[in-house]
Amino acid sequence: MPAGHQWVTGVVSDSSYVGVSTQYLVRTPWGTEVSAFASNAGVLAQVPVGAHVVAYWRPDHAFLLSRQAGAGDATQPLLEPVP
């Protein structure tokens, strides 16, 4: 992983080919899913559902959604746990 990048581990719970890229849903250890896109440039193979991955990104390519202070993580997983 490149120095200075933010990252999260997880398991690929869904994969969708969308033309020039593939969208992956990655279930984090706390149950929330994050979305990641990878170019379909033919350089790397697609990642299979169920694979353990590390998603990383440059901090300036991220944004946060606002929530009330002290609200904690109130997200609810949409899918059943990945075995």
Side-chain angles (χ1 to χ4, degrees):
M1 167 175 3
H5 281 61
Q6 296 173 329
W7 58 275
V8 64
T9 61
V11 176
V12 175
S13 58
D14 189 50
S15 172
S16 299
Y17 177 85
V18 289
V20 298
S21 64
T22 298
Q23 178 185 11
Y24 295 100
L25 293 180
V26 177
R27 183 178 300 275
T28 64
W30 55 92
T32 300
E33 288 183 311
V34 296
S35 179
F37 288 85
S39 171
N40 289 331
V43 177
L44 301 173
Q46 290 193 348
V47 180
V49 171
H52 291 265
V53 296
V54 176
Y56 62 91
W57 58 94
R58 288 178 29 181
D60 57 327
H61 289 176
F63 61 92
L64 300 176
L65 302 176
S66 63
R67 65 177 179 196
Q68 293 181 355
D73 187 356
T75 60
Q76 297 293 319
L78 298 177
L79 303 174
E80 295 298 318
V82 176

